[in-house]
């Protein structure tokens, strides 16, 4: 199964990618910077670009399932909690 992981460069995403690959799935690691592609490949994932606040449309193409593990983090303000954690998650559900 193709499983897209949003937030693939985060703490949980980095743990999850190799576990999905070891379990026989084809993980897609969605990150927001191409400099993170190699780390996704090293963990058995197919890297794709996707920014929940920007260009995201192609990130989930072909995916059978999605894990949303992105988060704006505790060091950003309430604005990012809304645009990433709320509306970003909503965007993924809609996609
Ligand atoms: N770890 C825990 O024990 C724990 C416990 C309870 C709840 N949570 C929640 O679970 C979520 C994931 O946890 P985590 O520890 O893996 O967090 P994390 O290490 O901060 O990872 C969050 C990931 O979200 C990505 N991200 C942020 N903004 C984005 C955007 N606009 N578009 C796409 N990706 C974006 C970040 O990308 P960059 O790498 O580019 O910054 C990062 O890779 C968070 O919401 C956290 O609050 C975690």
């Amino acid at each position: 199964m193709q499983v897209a992981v949003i937030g693939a460069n985060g703490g949980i995403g980095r743990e999850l990618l190799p576990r999905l690959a070891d379990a026989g799935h084809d993980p897609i690691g969605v990150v927001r910077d191409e400099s993170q592609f190699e780390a996704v490949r090293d963990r058995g994932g197919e890297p794709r670009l996707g920014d929940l606040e920007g260009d995201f449309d192609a990130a989930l193409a072909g995916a059978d399932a999605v894990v949303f593990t992105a988060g704006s983090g505790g060091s950003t303000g309430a604005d990012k909690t809304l645009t990433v954690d709320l509306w970003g998650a909503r965007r993924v559900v809609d996609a």
Side-chain angles (χ1 to χ4, degrees), residues 46-77:
E46 174 198 330
R48 290 192 193 167
L49 274 182
D51 185 338
L52 294 164
E53 297 177 283
D55 194 3
F56 188 77
D57 294 346
L60 302 185
D64 302 298
V66 177
V67 177
F68 186 93
T69 184
S72 58
S75 59
T76 58

Side-chain angles (χ1 to χ4, degrees), residues 6-7 9-14 32 36 50-53 69-72 84-85:
I6 319 293
N9 190 53
I12 293 171
R14 277 181 262 135
R32 53 182 175 166
Q36 299 162 345
D51 185 338
L52 294 164
E53 297 177 283
T69 184
S72 58
V84 176
D85 301 76

Side-chain angles (χ1 to χ4, degrees), residues 1-56:
M1 189 158 74
Q2 275 207 309
V3 183
V5 178
I6 319 293
N9 190 53
I12 293 171
R14 277 181 262 135
E15 289 285 333
L16 185 57
L17 284 182
R19 293 187 192 204
L20 286 167
D22 288 347
H25 298 296
D26 297 318
I28 298 165
V30 182
V31 294
R32 53 182 175 166
D33 192 316
E34 283 189 20
S35 68
Q36 299 162 345
F37 275 19
E38 195 174 333
V40 169
R41 286 193 196 97
D42 287 346
R43 292 181 171 86
E46 174 198 330
R48 290 192 193 167
L49 274 182
D51 185 338
L52 294 164
E53 297 177 283
D55 194 3
F56 188 77

